């Protein structure tokens, strides 16, 4: 291929993909624009294409109609507590399965992995009844507890922990380290990148989760952001300026965090996902 | 992924002279590490799965549960709404999933090309929709696709096209649902395929080029075979996801218009948490689980093992 033809193809491919990316990014751009306009402005013809000055008013409406501050706090607390607890459960189990040989290991791991293929819907009704019997409806633990032993997280952790050299563990043991201290002092530090990827995944998963919170959070004071937004959308007199401001508040911080950490995240996640 | 799960079934290695050090503590330790996960899993996954089956054999009448045997399942077979939901879900599966995976494959190949400038930006941009929650983008799309005032119809109007009843016409509503799903998941699938693509040895492409293979031939004979395991993974994941699809139709169309976007997931939710017919909802859930199992197995047969 001549240099000129090579460059021509390069420009063609890059600009073609740029157009595709623009189509993919358009909804994001428009979300930012719409969040700063009033409901009537959003549906003007022509629609607004640049940000306006209505963001503060939209957030105020959101606060008045949906206690949005409280809702954001619920979402944040639930996602943080979930990430810490589920991260601990998955890391412990992943380590146990990756670095010890014990009776029943394969069978127990296989059992946990069944959770990947069984549709979540099968457990919705009985789980709801359990939460009602425990009197946990409208509580954080009702949202958090059922998904702590997340099969995908355990799978991911086992993959990463398996890469840890056995010599490292043995030398720790020779130095008289107990098994739990070994986990804390020797295993976890080199696992930081994998743990970061797991944490991002868990946080995103909980932050965006909808069906389960929708079912167990029946009182609007306990809503998470997705549940609150969906409930607002159902109203007869829907204020789309306010709803889209809330949508932006839910999506944009996540997108920014993800942008900052994506290299780690994608490589950490894929290390476990696409091996043969 | 399944290959990995079973691939590590290595027999217990010979004890490598560590026998004298295996104190009782070390024999108990692994069980303690996996215990929290197992307890939580048993309580919140295995027990509910069993209980769901028991519920599916009951009918709630005036607050008390009455055993009705397989009545809920026979009712399912004769329920036109269930068949509508099944048909809608199948249409999405048959149309949206292949289109999206073809798009994702093309995208992965493009993102992997050395001809592309600024690859990092592109990879990031296409993966970003995945970060957006289902509810958030469902709401966003419902506004973008609004018939009289939506941005998309305004753009169409600029080009002289008639407005499209995106969410109010049964056929277009299905298309809109497909559009939203494609927007959300294409980049995600492309990243999985891309990771696999990078493991295809460059020598294979060089060899193909030496043999005089054009772009299409080398795609067919080097890229596609190399992608096979990742394609299987993305196909199975997309199938499972599509069969369960709930959030998008719930937020975007509420299952309407005229049940055109009623999916099995939405129908199950309606029966359980709108009509509080838990027995019937559980029967639907089990039918769904069986369906996912069957389709998963067929796909592994078709795509998994080389003949």
């Amino acid at each position: 291929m001549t240099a000129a033809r090579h460059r021509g193809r390069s420009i063609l491919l890059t600009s073609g993909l740029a157009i595709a990316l623009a189509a993919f990014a358009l909804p994001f751009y428009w979300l930012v624009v719409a969040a700063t306009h009033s409901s009537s402005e959003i549906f003007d013809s022509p629609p607004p294409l640049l940000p306006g000055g209505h963001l503060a008013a939209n957030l105020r409406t959101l606060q008045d109609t949906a206690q949005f501050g409280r809702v954001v706090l619920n979402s944040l607390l639930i996602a943080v507590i979930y990430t810490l607890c589920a991260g601990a459960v998955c890391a412990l189990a992943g380590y146990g399965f990756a670095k010890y040989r014990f009776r029943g290991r394969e069978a127990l791991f296989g059992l946990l992995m069944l959770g990947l293929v069984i549709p979540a819907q099968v457990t919705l009704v009985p789980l709801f009844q359990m939460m009602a019997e425990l009197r946990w409806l409208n509580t954080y633990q009702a949202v958090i507890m059922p998904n702590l032993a997340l099969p995908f997280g355990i799978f991911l952790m086992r993959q990463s922990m398996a890469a840890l050299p056995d010599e490292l563990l043995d030398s720790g043991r020779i130095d008289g380290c107990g098994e739990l201290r070994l986990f804390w002092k020797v295993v976890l530090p080199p696992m930081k990148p994998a743990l970061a990827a797991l944490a991002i995944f868990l946080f995103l998963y909980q932050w965006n989760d909808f069906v389960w919170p929708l079912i167990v959070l029946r009182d609007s004071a306990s809503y998470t952001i997705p549940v609150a937004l969906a409930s607002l959308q159902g109203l007869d007199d829907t204020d789309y300026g306010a709803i889209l401001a809330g949508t932006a508040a839910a999506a944009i911080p996540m997108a920014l965090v993800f942008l900052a950490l994506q290299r780690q995240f994608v490589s950490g996640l894929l290390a476990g996902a696409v091996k043969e | 992924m399944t290959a990995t799960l079973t691939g590590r079934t290595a027999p217990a290695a010979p004890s490598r002279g560590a026998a004298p050090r295996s104190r009782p503590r070390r024999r108990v330790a692994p069980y303690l590490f996996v215990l929290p996960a197992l307890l939580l899993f048993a309580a919140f996954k295995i027990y509910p799965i069993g209980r769901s089956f028991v519920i599916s054999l009951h009918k709630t009448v005036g607050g008390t549960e009455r055993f009705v045997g397989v009545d809920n399942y026979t009712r399912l077979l004769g329920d036109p709404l269930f068949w509508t939901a099944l048909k809608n879900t199948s249409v999405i599966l048959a149309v949206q999933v292949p289109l999206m995976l073809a798009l994702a494959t093309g995208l992965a190949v493009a993102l992997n090309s050395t001809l592309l400038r600024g690859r990092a930006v592109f990879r990031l941009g296409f993966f970003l929709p995945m970060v957006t929650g289902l509810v958030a983008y469902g709401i966003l799309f419902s506004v973008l696709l609004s018939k009289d005032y939506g941005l998309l119809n305004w753009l169409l109007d600029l080009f002289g096209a008639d407005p499209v009843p995106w969410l109010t016409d049964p056929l277009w509503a299905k298309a809109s649902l497909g559009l939203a799903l494609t927007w959300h998941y294409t980049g995600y699938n492309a990243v999985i395929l891309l990771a696999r693509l990078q493991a295809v040895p460059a020598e294979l492409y060089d060899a193909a080029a030496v043999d005089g293979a054009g772009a299409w031939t080398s795609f067919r004979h080097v890229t596609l075979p190399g992608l096979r395991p990742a394609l299987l993974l993305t196909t199975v994941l997309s199938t499972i996801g599509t069969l369960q699809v709930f959030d998008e139709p719930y937020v975007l169309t509420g299952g309407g218009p005229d049940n055109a976007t009623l999916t099995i997931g939405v129908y199950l939710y309606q029966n359980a948490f709108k009509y509080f017919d838990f027995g019937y909802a559980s029967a639907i859930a089990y039918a769904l689980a069986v369906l996912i199992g069957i389709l998963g197995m067929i796909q592994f047969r078709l795509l998994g093992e080389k003949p």
Side-chain angles (χ1 to χ4, degrees), chain A residues 245-265:
Chain A
T247 305
I252 289 169
M254 290 307 110
L256 291 179
V257 169
F258 182 78
L259 279 178
L261 302 171
Q262 63 94 21
R263 190 170 288 270
Q264 248 173 348
F265 176 69

Side-chain angles (χ1 to χ4, degrees), chain B residues 34-121:
Chain B
V34 301
L35 193 65
L38 286 174
L39 284 180
L40 286 162
F41 195 77
F44 296 114
K45 200 84 188 180
I46 297 174
Y47 170 68
I49 287 172
R51 184 155 158 184
S52 182
F53 186 67
V54 176
I55 295 171
S56 80
L57 302 176
H58 286 75
K59 185 161 185 62
T60 314
V61 187
T64 55
E65 288 187 359
R66 193 161 57 84
F67 183 79
V68 293
V70 294
D71 275 12
N72 284 320
Y73 291 94
T74 47
R75 177 181 157 198
L76 199 63
L77 294 176
D79 178 356
L81 269 182
F82 173 73
W83 292 105
T84 303
L86 188 61
K87 203 185 82 197
N88 292 338
T89 312
S90 310
V91 169
I92 302 174
L93 198 62
V95 179
Q96 190 263 338
V97 171
L99 276 180
M100 172 182 67
L101 291 181
L103 202 61
T105 307
L107 193 60
V109 171
L111 288 174
N112 197 40
S113 168
T114 48
L115 290 169
L116 184 68
R117 305 278 142 243
R119 278 193 279 183
V121 176

Side-chain angles (χ1 to χ4, degrees), chain A residues 7-80:
Chain A
R7 219 179 56 204
R9 284 189 176 188
S10 172
I11 291 171
L12 201 69
L13 180 70
T14 305
S15 45
L17 218 54
I19 294 170
L21 182 62
F24 265 74
L26 177 78
F28 276 111
Y29 174 73
W30 199 77
L31 174 61
V32 175
V33 172
T36 60
H37 285 275
S38 72
S39 212
S40 60
E41 285 166 357
I42 291 171
F43 294 108
D44 267 351
S45 189
L49 296 175
L50 291 171
H54 219 266
L55 180 63
N58 282 340
L59 290 175
R60 222 174 300 127
T61 308
L62 216 48
Q63 175 58 26
D64 295 341
T65 52
Q67 302 173 263
F68 200 62
R70 175 71 202 258
V71 166
V72 171
L73 190 69
N74 288 337
S75 263
L76 264 179
L77 282 173
I78 287 175
V80 169

